[in-house]
Amino acid sequence: MVELFLAELQCKDDGNDKDDDATRSISMLKKLESVIWSLITSNGRSESRLWLCNTIACSDSVTPQAQRELFVSLLRSKPSNVTLASQVLRMIIERRPNKIGHVIAKISRLLKKFFKGNPRRILQWFSNFAGVGESGHRKGARAISQFSFVNRDICWEELVWKGNHGQSPAVVATKPHYFLDLDVQRTVENFLEYVPEFWSSEELANSLKDGEILQIDTKFFVDCFVDMMYGENSKDIWEVINEFFLEESFSYLCHHLLILLEEPDLVAFLKSLQKYLTITMDSKCFTRPSYWPEVLLFMLDDCASASDLLLLNAILNQSRQLLRLVRDQEHKEQYDTIEEVLLEMNMSPSSSNAPFGIKGIKKRKVEVVKLLGLYSWILQYQMLQNCETPESWEALFLKNGISFRRVENYDLLPDRFSEGSGSDSGGWNSSKSKRKKKQKTRKKRRRNSDHRDADADFDVSSVRQSSDRSWLLSSDGYSSSWNKVDLPEHLAKYCFSTWMKQNLFQCYAEMIIERRPNRTRPFLAKKATYASKSLKDIRWEGTMGDHLQ
């Protein structure tokens, strides 16, 4: 039977790092760590970084102002991250093209550069004149027609027509479809050469403000904006970027940007993120994917590395993926090693108190968190192997002090066994229903007689036993129904949370005393109050960061 170590145990901390039992436990877990690390890096570290980035994206404690500061600092770091800046600009173009469109409308030199010597772009933007019966000119065609009428004294002669003779403003004003006879390419080339006023005109600016022009050649504009960001420190571009970071969700930004960072840059981002995190000890938060990695981030002063974060996140949030990898034939060597570790741990006398032995050794706080995470994964692995029947699960609940309520599923029962299972409190309707059922029974009596013997031998309880069983558990306040597929992961996380909860207050007390000596006295008083209570009597609520402000 799997021991989950959920009971509140007091471990003696004598400061001896060479305690034999604890040292053996740690040695075995370190062996397991190397195996898991080989699994998650079998194809490089990029996948484990993606897992971590997706987890960080789940954080809900970062304010819009904080996320703006975080991502702007990434863009302004040295050396400049052109790849990241390009991705940000593409995201803005995709989701808020009008913001960039307003910037383009102000920069005539950029527009002239975009169209000069490029007939394809000229035709795409300026040749959208309306025909007979159509509502009106579009895009750059509308800008040319409007500007040409308003400024006909300086630009009408630059219009080039395809026919034998040109068109007068008066004729075209009454028949706008005549613009279809305009030689657009030559006309725009003339405007580039001889009509500079057009490129800074209100007519052209209005046609650009929706940002549709960005779709003609997105790469051109992205490259130009990157040059403007870093070469000219363009105030307009940076304002758009700042506003974008303020308005978008933290999740969206993380999913699209963090994966582009090299590992040192990702660690730098996470260290910057640390000061914006609000970690609470409310147990409702413990199941949030980003909670424990955030706790580890909060401990970055204790030398948590990128590898520590990648490993802990993989153990806690990708545990099923790791189990699938272990079963893969390609990783038979790792599977054999894990089985050896399990055998060694089961035979070792230290295994009866392993999590508490780990806590009792004075090691880096981050190391303790990681080792406890490894042990919770071992428990998940063992539960998956040893608990296959409803009876084995209920035995595990009872042994480990987890109260449960059965949730039976009768989906496999034939309809005839569920008939009449509704309420009988319907009065007249109920009586009428019974009469109808009685009549149907008489009509079908002869037809059903052939099945009586089979029904007599049919054991309803056997159907119930064969159906999947679920449980409501005290581990989450009976709030969710758990089946054998999800139970190993749920209980492993519950064990880890329990161990961490028993150890968290001491860790944070030490950190607060170290970082804010002037706030030590009130905190020590609070610590003394907690120390006088049993762990089960403590309400794990409130913000840990309150004492770090």
Side-chain angles (χ1 to χ4, degrees):
M1 181 58 61
V2 180
E3 173 65 61
L4 301 182
F5 307 105
L6 295 174
E8 180 187 340
L9 297 181
Q10 300 298 325
C11 47
K12 183 179 179 181
D13 184 359
D14 56 7
N16 181 11
D17 280 7
K18 295 184 179 179
D19 178 85
D20 291 340
D21 286 348
T23 301
R24 278 194 293 270
S25 294
I26 291 172
S27 174
M28 289 182 281
L29 289 173
K30 284 292 185 182
K31 192 174 182 180
L32 174 66
E33 178 183 353
S34 65
V35 173
I36 292 180
W37 191 247
S38 69
L39 286 173
I40 65 178
T41 58
S42 56
N43 295 316
R45 293 165 70 107
S46 58
E47 186 173 20
S48 58
R49 283 205 302 272
L50 176 62
W51 292 345
L52 179 59
C53 293
N54 289 340
T55 296
I56 296 300
C58 297
S59 176
D60 58 2
S61 61
V62 182
T63 65
Q65 292 76 16
Q67 73 185 31
R68 177 182 60 187
E69 292 179 25
L70 282 166
F71 287 103
V72 167
S73 65
L74 273 180
L75 291 179
R76 289 195 176 275
S77 62
K78 301 295 182 181
S80 302
N81 193 330
V82 173
T83 301
L84 186 69
S86 298
Q87 175 66 2
V88 170
L89 292 165
R90 288 182 181 277
M91 290 160 63
I92 296 174
I93 289 171
E94 177 186 348
R95 295 173 73 88
R96 288 175 170 75
N98 60 308
K99 301 290 186 182
I100 294 289
H102 279 74
V103 175
I104 296 173
K106 301 177 183 178
I107 311 172
S108 59
R109 58 179 174 80
L110 177 61
L111 292 168
K112 294 171 77 172
K113 180 181 178 182
F114 182 67
F115 290 111
K116 193 167 186 177
N118 198 307
R120 182 185 63 83
R121 293 175 185 166
I122 290 173
L123 294 176
Q124 278 185 272
W125 187 248
F126 290 106
S127 62
N128 297 282
F129 291 105
V132 177
E134 294 182 348
S135 58
H137 309 313
R138 297 181 300 112
K139 304 179 185 178
R142 183 173 66 249
I144 283 183
S145 65
Q146 291 175 344
F147 182 85
S148 297
F149 280 120
V150 174
N151 302 278
R152 53 186 175 272
D153 55 326
I154 65 171
C155 73
W156 197 268
E157 294 300 321
E158 305 304 333
L159 300 179
V160 181
W161 302 92
K162 297 177 183 176
N164 295 326
H165 57 83
Q167 302 290 349
S168 67
V171 172
V172 178
T174 59
K175 299 179 179 180
H177 62 276
Y178 274 21
F179 268 114
L180 291 171
D181 293 331
L182 192 70
D183 188 324
V184 174
Q185 179 181 338
R186 292 172 62 190
T187 297
V188 173
E189 288 173 348
N190 283 349
F191 275 42
L192 285 166
E193 188 72 22
Y194 306 114
V195 191
E197 296 86 353
F198 172 72
W199 302 102
S200 56
S201 67
E202 185 178 349
E203 291 81 4
L204 181 59
N206 288 336
S207 73
L208 298 168
K209 288 179 180 177
D210 62 1
E212 189 176 351
I213 192 173
L214 296 163
Q215 305 306 318
I216 294 177
D217 192 336
T218 300
K219 184 179 183 304
F220 170 89
F221 288 108
V222 167
D223 292 343
C224 288
F225 293 144
V226 169
D227 290 341
M228 292 168 64
M229 286 171 59
Y230 296 125
E232 305 172 21
N233 196 26
S234 169
K235 181 181 177 181
D236 290 334
I237 295 296
W238 281 109
E239 282 183 358
V240 170
I241 290 172
N242 272 273
E243 187 176 344
F244 178 73
F245 286 148
L246 193 64
E247 294 175 351
E248 284 296 336
S249 70
F250 184 70
S251 174
Y252 172 78
L253 295 174
C254 287
H255 280 305
H256 288 79
L257 297 178
L258 294 189
I259 196 60
L260 299 177
L261 300 179
E262 296 295 331
E263 204 159 287
D265 295 326
L266 179 59
V267 172
F269 175 84
L270 296 177
K271 286 184 177 180
S272 299
L273 175 63
Q274 178 195 37
K275 63 182 178 182
Y276 298 109
L277 292 175
T278 303
I279 308 294
T280 67
M281 284 189 282
D282 186 346
S283 58
K284 294 177 182 177
C285 298
F286 291 175
T287 56
R288 197 179 70 223
S290 64
Y291 182 79
W292 295 114
E294 284 180 11
V295 169
L296 215 58
L297 284 176
F298 200 77
M299 297 178 180
L300 271 175
D301 284 354
D302 195 30
C303 304
S305 66
S307 296
D308 292 330
L309 289 165
L310 294 174
L311 182 70
L312 183 68
N313 181 64
I315 293 168
L316 295 180
N317 294 315
Q318 300 293 331
S319 57
R320 294 193 189 189
Q321 177 66 12
L322 292 180
L323 290 168
R324 282 193 289 269
L325 289 173
V326 169
R327 295 194 194 98
D328 196 320
Q329 289 297 321
E330 295 180 7
H331 301 112
K332 187 177 183 307
E333 182 180 346
Q334 286 90 340
Y335 172 82
D336 292 339
T337 304
I338 290 174
E339 288 294 320
E340 290 174 10
V341 170
L342 277 174
L343 181 62
E344 188 177 352
M345 292 183 77
N346 290 334
M347 294 178 62
S348 171
S350 64
S351 64
S352 63
N353 196 26
F356 305 97
I358 293 168
K359 287 168 51 182
I361 285 191
K362 286 190 174 179
K363 299 182 74 67
R364 293 186 307 127
K365 292 184 283 292
V366 169
E367 190 70 13
V368 171
V369 173
K370 187 171 62 174
L371 291 172
L372 291 176
L374 286 164
Y375 204 90
S376 71
W377 188 84
I378 276 288
L379 293 183
Q380 182 174 350
Y381 185 93
Q382 289 180 309
M383 283 185 278
L384 198 63
Q385 284 188 320
N386 299 328
C387 300
E388 298 179 349
T389 65
E391 292 75 19
S392 62
W393 278 112
E394 292 180 3
L396 181 141
F397 301 151
L398 292 171
K399 177 178 175 59
N400 290 280
I402 299 174
S403 301
F404 65 91
R405 302 169 188 167
R406 293 177 183 171
V407 181
E408 301 282 7
N409 297 321
Y410 299 119
D411 295 340
L412 298 181
L413 283 173
D415 291 341
R416 59 183 178 275
F417 289 104
S418 58
E419 225 173 39
S421 60
S423 172
D424 291 333
S425 60
W428 181 85
N429 288 329
S430 177
S431 300
K432 185 176 180 180
S433 175
K434 288 179 181 178
R435 285 197 300 273
K436 285 186 176 181
K437 288 180 182 178
K438 197 171 183 179
Q439 290 170 2
K440 288 181 181 179
T441 301
R442 290 195 190 102
K443 291 178 182 179
K444 295 179 181 178
R445 185 174 295 162
R446 186 173 300 171
R447 191 183 350 168
N448 290 340
S449 62
D450 295 337
H451 301 287
R452 283 176 184 168
D453 292 339
D455 287 348
D457 295 335
F458 192 89
D459 185 358
V460 177
S461 63
S462 67
V463 176
R464 293 179 178 177
Q465 288 296 326
S466 64
S467 62
D468 289 337
R469 180 178 295 171
S470 299
W471 296 269
L472 297 173
L473 303 179
S474 59
S475 56
D476 66 342
Y478 308 101
S479 61
S480 300
S481 176
W482 299 98
N483 57 34
K484 64 181 181 181
V485 175
D486 300 319
L487 272 170
E489 182 179 20
H490 165 67
L491 290 178
K493 286 187 175 182
Y494 176 64
C495 290
F496 178 78
S497 298
T498 301
W499 304 333
M500 285 296 295
K501 185 169 67 174
Q502 293 172 358
N503 199 42
L504 263 180
F505 190 82
Q506 180 180 352
C507 288
Y508 279 93
E510 293 172 0
M511 292 174 63
I512 292 166
I513 292 169
E514 178 183 346
R515 297 188 195 178
R516 298 290 188 273
N518 60 323
R519 304 294 295 275
T520 298
R521 187 175 300 173
F523 194 83
L524 284 177
K526 187 175 182 181
K527 181 180 179 184
T529 302
Y530 273 71
S532 67
K533 297 182 179 181
S534 169
L535 284 169
K536 63 184 178 181
D537 297 326
I538 295 176
R539 292 186 65 202
W540 293 93
E541 298 177 358
T543 303
M544 297 183 199
D546 289 345
H547 294 274
L548 298 176
Q549 301 303 319

